[in-house]
PDB file of all heavy atoms in Angstrom:
ATOM      1  N   VAL A  90      77.773  87.281 104.574  1.00 92.00           N
ATOM      2  CA  VAL A  90      78.119  87.647 103.199  1.00 92.00           C
ATOM      3  C   VAL A  90      78.517  86.441 102.350  1.00 92.00           C
ATOM      4  O   VAL A  90      78.000  86.247 101.245  1.00 92.00           O
ATOM      5  CB  VAL A  90      79.228  88.725 103.165  1.00 92.00           C
ATOM      6  CG1 VAL A  90      79.727  88.950 101.750  1.00 92.00           C
ATOM      7  CG2 VAL A  90      78.722  90.029 103.762  1.00 92.00           C
ATOM      8  N   ALA A  91      79.418  85.610 102.817  1.00 92.00           N
ATOM      9  CA  ALA A  91      79.926  84.499 102.001  1.00 92.00           C
ATOM     10  C   ALA A  91      78.804  83.543 101.587  1.00 92.00           C
ATOM     11  O   ALA A  91      78.723  83.136 100.423  1.00 92.00           O
ATOM     12  CB  ALA A  91      81.028  83.754 102.746  1.00 92.00           C
ATOM     13  N   ALA A  92      77.937  83.197 102.519  1.00 94.00           N
ATOM     14  CA  ALA A  92      76.842  82.266 102.199  1.00 94.00           C
ATOM     15  C   ALA A  92      75.859  82.886 101.212  1.00 94.00           C
ATOM     16  O   ALA A  92      75.354  82.196 100.313  1.00 94.00           O
ATOM     17  CB  ALA A  92      76.120  81.848 103.478  1.00 94.00           C
ATOM     18  N   LEU A  93      75.589  84.167 101.348  1.00 96.00           N
ATOM     19  CA  LEU A  93      74.671  84.834 100.415  1.00 96.00           C
ATOM     20  C   LEU A  93      75.296  84.953  99.036  1.00 96.00           C
ATOM     21  O   LEU A  93      74.629  84.760  98.019  1.00 96.00           O
ATOM     22  CB  LEU A  93      74.272  86.208 100.941  1.00 96.00           C
ATOM     23  CG  LEU A  93      73.384  86.190 102.175  1.00 96.00           C
ATOM     24  CD1 LEU A  93      73.185  87.599 102.700  1.00 96.00           C
ATOM     25  CD2 LEU A  93      72.055  85.526 101.879  1.00 96.00           C
ATOM     26  N   ARG A  94      76.568  85.252  98.994  1.00 94.00           N
ATOM     27  CA  ARG A  94      77.262  85.345  97.702  1.00 94.00           C
ATOM     28  C   ARG A  94      77.228  83.996  97.002  1.00 94.00           C
ATOM     29  O   ARG A  94      77.024  83.906  95.802  1.00 94.00           O
ATOM     30  CB  ARG A  94      78.698  85.806  97.926  1.00 94.00           C
ATOM     31  CG  ARG A  94      79.563  85.691  96.689  1.00 94.00           C
ATOM     32  CD  ARG A  94      80.149  86.999  96.263  1.00 94.00           C
ATOM     33  NE  ARG A  94      81.113  86.880  95.204  1.00 94.00           N
ATOM     34  CZ  ARG A  94      80.847  86.552  93.953  1.00 94.00           C
ATOM     35  NH1 ARG A  94      79.639  86.250  93.589  1.00 94.00           N
ATOM     36  NH2 ARG A  94      81.791  86.507  93.036  1.00 94.00           N
ATOM     37  N   GLU A  95      77.410  82.935  97.758  1.00 93.00           N
ATOM     38  CA  GLU A  95      77.357  81.591  97.191  1.00 93.00           C
ATOM     39  C   GLU A  95      75.950  81.264  96.678  1.00 93.00           C
ATOM     40  O   GLU A  95      75.787  80.690  95.608  1.00 93.00           O
ATOM     41  CB  GLU A  95      77.781  80.570  98.244  1.00 93.00           C
ATOM     42  CG  GLU A  95      77.874  79.161  97.715  1.00 93.00           C
ATOM     43  CD  GLU A  95      78.406  78.200  98.754  1.00 93.00           C
ATOM     44  OE1 GLU A  95      79.394  78.537  99.441  1.00 93.00           O
ATOM     45  OE2 GLU A  95      77.824  77.115  98.879  1.00 93.00           O
ATOM     46  N   ALA A  96      74.934  81.654  97.430  1.00 95.00           N
ATOM     47  CA  ALA A  96      73.549  81.353  97.055  1.00 95.00           C
ATOM     48  C   ALA A  96      73.092  82.137  95.838  1.00 95.00           C
ATOM     49  O   ALA A  96      72.324  81.623  95.015  1.00 95.00           O
ATOM     50  CB  ALA A  96      72.618  81.627  98.239  1.00 95.00           C
ATOM     51  N   PHE A  97      73.535  83.380  95.707  1.00 95.00           N
ATOM     52  CA  PHE A  97      73.012  84.252  94.654  1.00 95.00           C
ATOM     53  C   PHE A  97      74.030  84.662  93.596  1.00 95.00           C
ATOM     54  O   PHE A  97      73.666  85.294  92.605  1.00 95.00           O
ATOM     55  CB  PHE A  97      72.394  85.515  95.276  1.00 95.00           C
ATOM     56  CG  PHE A  97      71.159  85.229  96.070  1.00 95.00           C
ATOM     57  CD1 PHE A  97      71.201  85.184  97.448  1.00 95.00           C
ATOM     58  CD2 PHE A  97      69.946  85.001  95.432  1.00 95.00           C
ATOM     59  CE1 PHE A  97      70.056  84.917  98.188  1.00 95.00           C
ATOM     60  CE2 PHE A  97      68.796  84.739  96.160  1.00 95.00           C
ATOM     61  CZ  PHE A  97      68.850  84.697  97.536  1.00 95.00           C
ATOM     62  N   ALA A  98      75.310  84.364  93.803  1.00 95.00           N
ATOM     63  CA  ALA A  98      76.364  84.740  92.853  1.00 95.00           C
ATOM     64  C   ALA A  98      76.266  86.215  92.458  1.00 95.00           C
ATOM     65  O   ALA A  98      76.368  86.577  91.299  1.00 95.00           O
ATOM     66  CB  ALA A  98      76.313  83.853  91.612  1.00 95.00           C
ATOM     67  N   CYS A  99      76.053  87.064  93.445  1.00 96.00           N
ATOM     68  CA  CYS A  99      75.902  88.492  93.200  1.00 96.00           C
ATOM     69  C   CYS A  99      77.163  89.235  93.645  1.00 96.00           C
ATOM     70  O   CYS A  99      77.936  88.732  94.446  1.00 96.00           O
ATOM     71  CB  CYS A  99      74.677  89.035  93.935  1.00 96.00           C
ATOM     72  SG  CYS A  99      74.746  88.845  95.725  1.00 96.00           S
ATOM     73  N   PRO A 100      77.360  90.446  93.137  1.00 96.00           N
ATOM     74  CA  PRO A 100      78.524  91.223  93.562  1.00 96.00           C
ATOM     75  C   PRO A 100      78.388  91.689  95.014  1.00 96.00           C
ATOM     76  O   PRO A 100      77.279  91.889  95.514  1.00 96.00           O
ATOM     77  CB  PRO A 100      78.535  92.415  92.610  1.00 96.00           C
ATOM     78  CG  PRO A 100      77.150  92.530  92.094  1.00 96.00           C
ATOM     79  CD  PRO A 100      76.565  91.149  92.121  1.00 96.00           C
ATOM     80  N   VAL A 101      79.535  91.829  95.656  1.00 95.00           N
ATOM     81  CA  VAL A 101      79.607  92.330  97.031  1.00 95.00           C
ATOM     82  C   VAL A 101      80.438  93.606  97.005  1.00 95.00           C
ATOM     83  O   VAL A 101      81.626  93.576  96.680  1.00 95.00           O
ATOM     84  CB  VAL A 101      80.253  91.302  97.982  1.00 95.00           C
ATOM     85  CG1 VAL A 101      80.369  91.870  99.390  1.00 95.00           C
ATOM     86  CG2 VAL A 101      79.472  89.995  97.976  1.00 95.00           C
ATOM     87  N   TYR A 102      79.803  94.723  97.318  1.00 95.00           N
ATOM     88  CA  TYR A 102      80.465  96.029  97.359  1.00 95.00           C
ATOM     89  C   TYR A 102      80.861  96.309  98.800  1.00 95.00           C
ATOM     90  O   TYR A 102      80.017  96.288  99.698  1.00 95.00           O
ATOM     91  CB  TYR A 102      79.525  97.121  96.856  1.00 95.00           C
ATOM     92  CG  TYR A 102      79.110  96.931  95.419  1.00 95.00           C
ATOM     93  CD1 TYR A 102      77.974  96.193  95.086  1.00 95.00           C
ATOM     94  CD2 TYR A 102      79.856  97.482  94.389  1.00 95.00           C
ATOM     95  CE1 TYR A 102      77.595  96.008  93.764  1.00 95.00           C
ATOM     96  CE2 TYR A 102      79.488  97.295  93.057  1.00 95.00           C
ATOM     97  CZ  TYR A 102      78.356  96.567  92.762  1.00 95.00           C
ATOM     98  OH  TYR A 102      77.997  96.384  91.451  1.00 95.00           O
ATOM     99  N   ALA A 103      82.149  96.575  99.025  1.00 93.00           N
ATOM    100  CA  ALA A 103      82.636  96.762 100.391  1.00 93.00           C
ATOM    101  C   ALA A 103      83.881  97.638 100.390  1.00 93.00           C
ATOM    102  O   ALA A 103      84.589  97.724  99.389  1.00 93.00           O
ATOM    103  CB  ALA A 103      82.967  95.408 101.011  1.00 93.00           C
ATOM    104  N   PRO A 104      84.155  98.260 101.539  1.00 91.00           N
ATOM    105  CA  PRO A 104      85.412  99.002 101.668  1.00 91.00           C
ATOM    106  C   PRO A 104      86.586  98.027 101.776  1.00 91.00           C
ATOM    107  O   PRO A 104      86.410  96.858 102.143  1.00 91.00           O
ATOM    108  CB  PRO A 104      85.223  99.785 102.969  1.00 91.00           C
ATOM    109  CG  PRO A 104      84.240  98.991 103.758  1.00 91.00           C
ATOM    110  CD  PRO A 104      83.341  98.330 102.756  1.00 91.00           C
ATOM    111  N   GLN A 105      87.769  98.518 101.460  1.00 90.00           N
ATOM    112  CA  GLN A 105      88.982  97.702 101.576  1.00 90.00           C
ATOM    113  C   GLN A 105      89.243  97.394 103.045  1.00 90.00           C
ATOM    114  O   GLN A 105      89.376  98.300 103.857  1.00 90.00           O
ATOM    115  CB  GLN A 105      90.174  98.461 100.988  1.00 90.00           C
ATOM    116  CG  GLN A 105      91.485  97.711 101.081  1.00 90.00           C
ATOM    117  CD  GLN A 105      91.511  96.495 100.181  1.00 90.00           C
ATOM    118  OE1 GLN A 105      91.185  96.591  99.010  1.00 90.00           O
ATOM    119  NE2 GLN A 105      91.879  95.364 100.712  1.00 90.00           N
ATOM    120  N   HIS A 106      89.282  96.108 103.389  1.00 87.00           N
ATOM    121  CA  HIS A 106      89.649  95.682 104.741  1.00 87.00           C
ATOM    122  C   HIS A 106      89.950  94.194 104.708  1.00 87.00           C
ATOM    123  O   HIS A 106      89.201  93.427 104.101  1.00 87.00           O
ATOM    124  CB  HIS A 106      88.529  95.973 105.749  1.00 87.00           C
ATOM    125  CG  HIS A 106      88.998  95.823 107.148  1.00 87.00           C
ATOM    126  ND1 HIS A 106      89.133  94.600 107.765  1.00 87.00           N
ATOM    127  CD2 HIS A 106      89.406  96.738 108.048  1.00 87.00           C
ATOM    128  CE1 HIS A 106      89.591  94.774 108.985  1.00 87.00           C
ATOM    129  NE2 HIS A 106      89.777  96.063 109.184  1.00 87.00           N
ATOM    130  N   PRO A 107      91.032  93.757 105.376  1.00 87.00           N
ATOM    131  CA  PRO A 107      91.396  92.336 105.356  1.00 87.00           C
ATOM    132  C   PRO A 107      90.295  91.403 105.884  1.00 87.00           C
ATOM    133  O   PRO A 107      90.224  90.250 105.472  1.00 87.00           O
ATOM    134  CB  PRO A 107      92.634  92.258 106.250  1.00 87.00           C
ATOM    135  CG  PRO A 107      93.166  93.633 106.330  1.00 87.00           C
ATOM    136  CD  PRO A 107      92.007  94.565 106.110  1.00 87.00           C
ATOM    137  N   ALA A 108      89.450  91.878 106.789  1.00 83.00           N
ATOM    138  CA  ALA A 108      88.397  91.025 107.350  1.00 83.00           C
ATOM    139  C   ALA A 108      87.258  90.785 106.371  1.00 83.00           C
ATOM    140  O   ALA A 108      86.487  89.842 106.526  1.00 83.00           O
ATOM    141  CB  ALA A 108      87.843  91.649 108.635  1.00 83.00           C
ATOM    142  N   ILE A 109      87.146  91.621 105.354  1.00 85.00           N
ATOM    143  CA  ILE A 109      86.055  91.483 104.379  1.00 85.00           C
ATOM    144  C   ILE A 109      86.606  90.719 103.179  1.00 85.00           C
ATOM    145  O   ILE A 109      87.083  91.299 102.210  1.00 85.00           O
ATOM    146  CB  ILE A 109      85.487  92.856 103.976  1.00 85.00           C
ATOM    147  CG1 ILE A 109      85.067  93.649 105.218  1.00 85.00           C
ATOM    148  CG2 ILE A 109      84.290  92.674 103.038  1.00 85.00           C
ATOM    149  CD1 ILE A 109      84.669  95.086 104.928  1.00 85.00           C
ATOM    150  N   THR A 110      86.537  89.397 103.264  1.00 87.00           N
ATOM    151  CA  THR A 110      87.182  88.554 102.261  1.00 87.00           C
ATOM    152  C   THR A 110      86.278  88.215 101.074  1.00 87.00           C
ATOM    153  O   THR A 110      86.770  87.715 100.069  1.00 87.00           O
ATOM    154  CB  THR A 110      87.670  87.246 102.907  1.00 87.00           C
ATOM    155  OG1 THR A 110      86.554  86.584 103.499  1.00 87.00           O
ATOM    156  CG2 THR A 110      88.725  87.525 103.966  1.00 87.00           C
ATOM    157  N   SER A 111      84.993  88.466 101.186  1.00 87.00           N
ATOM    158  CA  SER A 111      84.063  88.107 100.100  1.00 87.00           C
ATOM    159  C   SER A 111      83.755  89.263  99.161  1.00 87.00           C
ATOM    160  O   SER A 111      82.907  89.127  98.283  1.00 87.00           O
ATOM    161  CB  SER A 111      82.757  87.574 100.690  1.00 87.00           C
ATOM    162  OG  SER A 111      82.994  86.370 101.374  1.00 87.00           O
ATOM    163  N   ALA A 112      84.411  90.396  99.351  1.00 90.00           N
ATOM    164  CA  ALA A 112      84.144  91.549  98.480  1.00 90.00           C
ATOM    165  C   ALA A 112      84.564  91.239  97.043  1.00 90.00           C
ATOM    166  O   ALA A 112      85.606  90.654  96.808  1.00 90.00           O
ATOM    167  CB  ALA A 112      84.885  92.777  98.983  1.00 90.00           C
ATOM    168  N   THR A 113      83.703  91.635  96.121  1.00 93.00           N
ATOM    169  CA  THR A 113      84.046  91.503  94.701  1.00 93.00           C
ATOM    170  C   THR A 113      84.326  92.872  94.095  1.00 93.00           C
ATOM    171  O   THR A 113      84.962  92.961  93.052  1.00 93.00           O
ATOM    172  CB  THR A 113      82.924  90.814  93.905  1.00 93.00           C
ATOM    173  OG1 THR A 113      81.745  91.615  93.974  1.00 93.00           O
ATOM    174  CG2 THR A 113      82.650  89.413  94.438  1.00 93.00           C
ATOM    175  N   GLN A 114      83.819  93.917  94.730  1.00 94.00           N
ATOM    176  CA  GLN A 114      84.027  95.294  94.268  1.00 94.00           C
ATOM    177  C   GLN A 114      84.433  96.138  95.473  1.00 94.00           C
ATOM    178  O   GLN A 114      83.622  96.345  96.373  1.00 94.00           O
ATOM    179  CB  GLN A 114      82.736  95.874  93.674  1.00 94.00           C
ATOM    180  CG  GLN A 114      82.188  95.095  92.503  1.00 94.00           C
ATOM    181  CD  GLN A 114      83.021  95.284  91.248  1.00 94.00           C
ATOM    182  OE1 GLN A 114      83.530  96.361  90.982  1.00 94.00           O
ATOM    183  NE2 GLN A 114      83.150  94.234  90.469  1.00 94.00           N
ATOM    184  N   ILE A 115      85.666  96.601  95.483  1.00 94.00           N
ATOM    185  CA  ILE A 115      86.129  97.466  96.576  1.00 94.00           C
ATOM    186  C   ILE A 115      85.703  98.890  96.246  1.00 94.00           C
ATOM    187  O   ILE A 115      85.940  99.378  95.138  1.00 94.00           O
ATOM    188  CB  ILE A 115      87.661  97.387  96.731  1.00 94.00           C
ATOM    189  CG1 ILE A 115      88.095  95.943  97.013  1.00 94.00           C
ATOM    190  CG2 ILE A 115      88.143  98.346  97.811  1.00 94.00           C
ATOM    191  CD1 ILE A 115      87.512  95.346  98.275  1.00 94.00           C
ATOM    192  N   VAL A 116      85.056  99.535  97.205  1.00 94.00           N
ATOM    193  CA  VAL A 116      84.608 100.912  97.012  1.00 94.00           C
ATOM    194  C   VAL A 116      85.131 101.795  98.138  1.00 94.00           C
ATOM    195  O   VAL A 116      85.378 101.339  99.244  1.00 94.00           O
ATOM    196  CB  VAL A 116      83.059 101.010  96.932  1.00 94.00           C
ATOM    197  CG1 VAL A 116      82.547 100.310  95.683  1.00 94.00           C
ATOM    198  CG2 VAL A 116      82.405 100.426  98.160  1.00 94.00           C
ATOM    199  N   GLY A 117      85.277 103.056  97.812  1.00 92.00           N
ATOM    200  CA  GLY A 117      85.747 104.025  98.792  1.00 92.00           C
ATOM    201  C   GLY A 117      85.146 105.382  98.495  1.00 92.00           C
ATOM    202  O   GLY A 117      84.296 105.531  97.603  1.00 92.00           O
ATOM    203  N   GLU A 118      85.604 106.365  99.214  1.00 92.00           N
ATOM    204  CA  GLU A 118      85.088 107.715  99.063  1.00 92.00           C
ATOM    205  C   GLU A 118      85.181 108.171  97.612  1.00 92.00           C
ATOM    206  O   GLU A 118      86.203 108.016  96.955  1.00 92.00           O
ATOM    207  CB  GLU A 118      85.882 108.672  99.958  1.00 92.00           C
ATOM    208  CG  GLU A 118      85.316 110.059  99.996  1.00 92.00           C
ATOM    209  CD  GLU A 118      86.015 110.954 101.000  1.00 92.00           C
ATOM    210  OE1 GLU A 118      86.650 110.427 101.932  1.00 92.00           O
ATOM    211  OE2 GLU A 118      85.918 112.182 100.844  1.00 92.00           O
ATOM    212  N   GLY A 119      84.074 108.702  97.094  1.00 93.00           N
ATOM    213  CA  GLY A 119      84.028 109.205  95.739  1.00 93.00           C
ATOM    214  C   GLY A 119      83.594 108.181  94.699  1.00 93.00           C
ATOM    215  O   GLY A 119      83.332 108.535  93.551  1.00 93.00           O
TER     216      GLY A 119
END
């Protein structure tokens, strides 16, 4: 994720979790 985000400067949609440090948009149920 981090290398791809750096290469493309695109948003990263991910659930809230401390291990997912490159998320730009936290998403959850609903």
Side-chain angles (χ1 to χ4, degrees):
V90 172
L93 291 173
R94 170 121 172 69
E95 185 175 315
F97 293 102
C99 61
V101 178
Y102 298 90
Q105 179 69 50
H106 192 281
I109 306 172
T110 58
S111 295
T113 62
Q114 301 287 323
I115 301 300
V116 294
E118 187 174 339

